[in-house]
Amino acid sequence: MKCFCYITLFFLLSLSTSAEVQFVDATAAAGITFRHVDGRTGEKYLLETLGSGAVFFDFDVDGALDLYVVNATHIPPPAPEKTPQTQAPRNRLYRNNGNGTFTDITGSAGVGDTGYGVGCAAADINNDGYPEIYVTNYGPNRLYSNNGDGTFTDVTQKAGVGDERWGTSCAFLDYDLDGYVDLYVVNYMKFSVAENEWWETQGIRTYCSPTDQIAGSHFVSEPDILYRNNGNGTFTDVTKAAGISHRALGLAVAVGDYDNDGYPDLHIANDMEADLFYHNNGDGTFTETADLTGTGYDENGFPGSGMGNAFGDYNNDGYLDLVVSNASGLPALLYQNENAAFFTDVSFVSGIGAGTLPYFKWAVEFLDYDNDGLLDLFVANGHLQENISLFSESTYPQMDLVFRNVRRQNGTHHFTDTSTEVGLAELPKKVSRAAAFGDYDNDGDIDIFLNNSNQPAMLLRNEGGNSNHWLTVQPIGTRSNTSGIGTKIVVKVGKLSFTKEARSGASYLSQSDLRVHFGLGKHLAVEVLEIHWQSGLTERFSNVKSNQILHIKEGHGIINRQKTIIQ
């Protein structure tokens, strides 16, 4: 009886800690008016289903996170000369005003691409201190160079990165550790509006499976692209030379050094095909190891419908674990890293599997939403078929999910669905696709931006996550790339050790804040802070106070830099 009481008390305490946090819809208050347009026509073009991405990044280097949101357009896309840019659906750049609001500066910044936009990423490609924007499209991709004065210049052709295939997710990474960020672009399939196919379900027209599109012989899956940064504003396609040779229905890329050898590795989530896992050999090449690492299939040996993916050390053992989202009827897959030897599918034993089965899942990400030091999980949901309710018990808009990570007394970790407790059940259900994560108001907890399919976007402000202590670190490379991408940061408090990386690729079609955020629970200070730069330099700092944003410059230590704190 006493044991039961202790267990009950532990459970209630866990819930009460979780319930202190609420995600509040701050979209209107923040001045964000973005609405996604997918160009749906009733013809059921598969192109309409994927949605578009977003990126949190500080484009003007003022310490406050700005927001770039990708849009699609009509099908077929109208000729530019017939539709003025101001009237066509276009991507948007929102500048953070530093007071909880944003201003749309798309026009003056020159980044309002009107193509059929899909994914995006941002990083400083020339190490001048200002991040560039890369956009994938169904059609020519775009690279916008940051001029450092609030404007951008389209340098796609000069840089050599304007591939015209159906691009989806993308990520910047320095795979060869030369101090310049390279670019990985995921591609989906060859697709023609004129040759599109569809299904009929109970006499109702529905979107066709991508594998059936391919089986119809009109369409084939596409290989991805790896661009090497030449250090002079141009890139070279090194896909084949680097061993990136597989062809698949790619939707997402997650970047992380899973084996702690100092070189970033890649996981590619594929739609209705086995996922790919590229191990970085450290010599400019990769080896595909999904079968060896156990990350291509679920525990039963079946491929999923990989939509989104992300690396994160959810059990704080110093090795990056992996999560991959899936279509409805399939679980979100949680792979536990077994000391870099292989991964184990712990989806159901961890509590993630059963809770995600009914949902059509897209963006997925590890985040410590309550700053207790344990990485939780967010899953964005929304069905593929907008008329699914006519022939199924499922719905097109669906509730997004949050799972809280709880460490049990035996040392194992279990995830509890706290979506209702944190307020997600009270929000209007949306058709969620992409999600970007970052502390846009610099108050010490992680907020969420959702780009919903053919609907208004939503900004969710985290209220109460900063009741626990926290530390945010922005690495600034000198010998390493200026964006700090790939930098491994270790925080030690008491007997605990947390390991995270500054990374570009994760979630779905999107990129989150490059600053690295740590929840510290009740700890007032960090005993040891280690920065492992990609150049090989390691720097250590002791007795670092919590509840602050640190800017650490490689070889120069902690530096003063303008930052905006919103109270």
Side-chain angles (χ1 to χ4, degrees), residues 257-260 311-322 334-344 346 366 373-375 405 407 411-413 488-492 495-501 518:
D257 179 13
Y258 86 96
D259 55 357
N260 292 334
F311 282 109
D313 183 10
Y314 83 90
N315 55 2
N316 290 333
D317 66 351
Y319 290 93
L320 295 178
D321 309 296
L322 176 68
L334 180 61
Y335 294 103
Q336 181 173 296
N337 189 334
E338 305 293 353
N339 298 330
F342 57 89
F343 289 78
T344 300
V346 295
F366 291 103
L374 297 175
L375 287 179
N405 186 348
R407 188 177 187 274
T412 62
H413 291 254
K488 191 184 300 289
I489 302 175
V490 180
V491 163
K492 298 179 181 179
K495 296 181 180 180
L496 301 176
S497 179
F498 311 134
T499 301
K500 294 186 179 183
E501 293 181 1
F518 293 90

Side-chain angles (χ1 to χ4, degrees), residues 254-554:
V255 182
D257 179 13
Y258 86 96
D259 55 357
N260 292 334
D261 67 352
Y263 289 88
D265 309 294
L266 298 161
H267 179 270
I268 313 301
N270 296 317
D271 192 3
M272 304 186 73
E273 296 181 306
D275 292 342
L276 300 171
F277 199 104
Y278 288 109
H279 174 259
N280 191 329
N281 300 319
D283 59 1
T285 68
F286 292 81
T287 299
E288 205 288 301
T289 62
D291 287 343
L292 292 175
T293 56
T295 55
Y297 304 88
D298 64 17
E299 63 182 352
N300 298 312
F302 293 108
S305 294
M307 306 294 178
N309 55 1
F311 282 109
D313 183 10
Y314 83 90
N315 55 2
N316 290 333
D317 66 351
Y319 290 93
L320 295 178
D321 309 296
L322 176 68
V323 64
V324 184
S325 61
N326 259 318
S328 56
L330 299 170
L333 295 173
L334 180 61
Y335 294 103
Q336 181 173 296
N337 189 334
E338 305 293 353
N339 298 330
F342 57 89
F343 289 78
T344 300
D345 181 350
V346 295
S347 309
F348 283 95
V349 297
S350 70
I352 292 297
T356 58
L357 278 174
Y359 298 89
F360 207 115
K361 302 162 285 293
W362 299 83
V364 63
E365 181 61 285
F366 291 103
L367 76 160
D368 186 0
Y369 76 85
D370 53 1
N371 284 342
D372 67 349
L374 297 175
L375 287 179
D376 312 300
L377 274 172
F378 179 89
V379 185
N381 303 308
H383 210 281
L384 184 85
Q385 309 284 356
E386 91 280 0
N387 51 8
I388 186 66
S389 62
L390 297 179
F391 49 87
S392 168
E393 294 182 357
S394 187
T395 60
Y396 186 43
Q398 297 180 348
M399 183 176 72
D400 299 321
L401 301 173
V402 166
F403 292 88
R404 183 169 184 263
N405 186 348
V406 177
R407 188 177 187 274
R408 292 168 164 171
Q409 290 183 337
N410 63 2
T412 62
H413 291 254
H414 191 269
F415 288 87
T416 301
D417 185 345
T418 56
S419 310
T420 299
E421 287 84 353
V422 300
L424 295 185
E426 298 178 7
L427 298 172
K429 293 180 180 178
K430 298 289 185 180
V431 185
S432 297
R433 291 293 187 264
F437 302 79
D439 185 6
Y440 83 90
D441 49 6
N442 284 342
D443 67 347
D445 46 35
I446 300 300
D447 311 296
I448 305 171
F449 178 82
L450 291 162
N451 197 357
N452 302 308
S453 184
N454 211 54
Q455 292 179 322
M458 182 177 289
L459 177 65
L460 299 181
R461 176 170 175 163
N462 185 326
E463 297 284 359
N466 56 9
S467 60
N468 278 324
H469 298 297
W470 55 275
L471 181 71
T472 298
V473 179
Q474 179 172 349
I476 305 168
T478 54
R479 292 163 54 196
S480 306
N481 68 84
T482 304
S483 294
I485 291 173
T487 305
K488 191 184 300 289
I489 302 175
V490 180
V491 163
K492 298 179 181 179
V493 288
K495 296 181 180 180
L496 301 176
S497 179
F498 311 134
T499 301
K500 294 186 179 183
E501 293 181 1
R503 53 182 170 81
S504 170
S507 185
Y508 171 69
L509 306 180
S510 303
Q511 178 179 303
S512 299
D513 185 6
L514 289 177
R515 300 179 300 182
V516 183
H517 182 87
F518 293 90
L520 302 177
K522 301 306 177 183
H523 295 275
L524 296 172
V526 169
E527 295 172 15
V528 179
L529 172 65
E530 294 180 354
I531 312 292
H532 299 269
W533 301 95
Q534 284 196 318
S535 66
L537 175 67
T538 296
E539 297 183 271
R540 292 180 176 84
F541 306 88
S542 301
N543 299 319
V544 178
K545 292 183 179 180
S546 64
N547 303 337
Q548 62 172 320
I549 300 173
L550 290 182
H551 300 85
I552 300 180
K553 190 172 183 179
E554 184 178 11

Side-chain angles (χ1 to χ4, degrees), residues 242-257:
I244 309 294
S245 57
H246 290 72
R247 184 186 295 271
L249 294 166
L251 286 177
V253 53
V255 182
D257 179 13

Side-chain angles (χ1 to χ4, degrees), residues 107-129:
S108 62
V111 291
D113 187 23
T114 56
Y116 203 97
V118 187
C120 58
D124 183 4
I125 68 168
N126 53 10
N127 290 339
D128 68 350

Side-chain angles (χ1 to χ4, degrees), residues 109-311:
V111 291
D113 187 23
T114 56
Y116 203 97
V118 187
C120 58
D124 183 4
I125 68 168
N126 53 10
N127 290 339
D128 68 350
Y130 291 91
E132 278 67 46
I133 304 171
Y134 189 75
V135 181
T136 63
N137 290 306
Y138 170 66
N141 298 335
R142 292 280 182 266
L143 176 63
Y144 292 104
S145 178
N146 192 330
N147 300 320
D149 60 1
T151 68
F152 291 77
T153 300
D154 186 339
V155 295
T156 310
Q157 297 307 312
K158 175 185 176 182
V161 291
D163 189 77
E164 297 187 4
R165 286 173 285 183
W166 185 354
T168 54
S169 294
C170 56
F172 287 102
L173 71 158
D174 185 2
Y175 80 93
D176 53 1
L177 309 190
D178 67 349
Y180 288 92
V181 289
D182 311 298
L183 176 62
Y184 191 95
V185 180
V186 182
N187 287 314
Y188 196 52
M189 67 160 68
K190 290 183 179 179
F191 177 82
S192 168
V193 170
E195 298 175 325
N196 182 66
E197 299 180 4
W198 63 83
W199 278 343
E200 281 196 4
T201 303
Q202 299 180 15
I204 302 169
R205 182 180 291 190
T206 59
Y207 292 107
C208 181
S209 163
T211 54
D212 282 359
Q213 294 268 5
I214 291 174
S217 78
H218 298 306
F219 308 97
V220 296
S221 55
E222 291 277 26
D224 298 340
I225 311 172
L226 176 62
Y227 292 107
R228 184 181 185 274
N229 191 330
N230 299 320
N232 60 1
T234 68
F235 290 78
T236 298
D237 183 344
V238 296
T239 310
K240 291 183 179 179
I244 309 294
S245 57
H246 290 72
R247 184 186 295 271
L249 294 166
L251 286 177
V253 53
V255 182
D257 179 13
Y258 86 96
D259 55 357
N260 292 334
D261 67 352
Y263 289 88
D265 309 294
L266 298 161
H267 179 270
I268 313 301
N270 296 317
D271 192 3
M272 304 186 73
E273 296 181 306
D275 292 342
L276 300 171
F277 199 104
Y278 288 109
H279 174 259
N280 191 329
N281 300 319
D283 59 1
T285 68
F286 292 81
T287 299
E288 205 288 301
T289 62
D291 287 343
L292 292 175
T293 56
T295 55
Y297 304 88
D298 64 17
E299 63 182 352
N300 298 312
F302 293 108
S305 294
M307 306 294 178
N309 55 1
F311 282 109

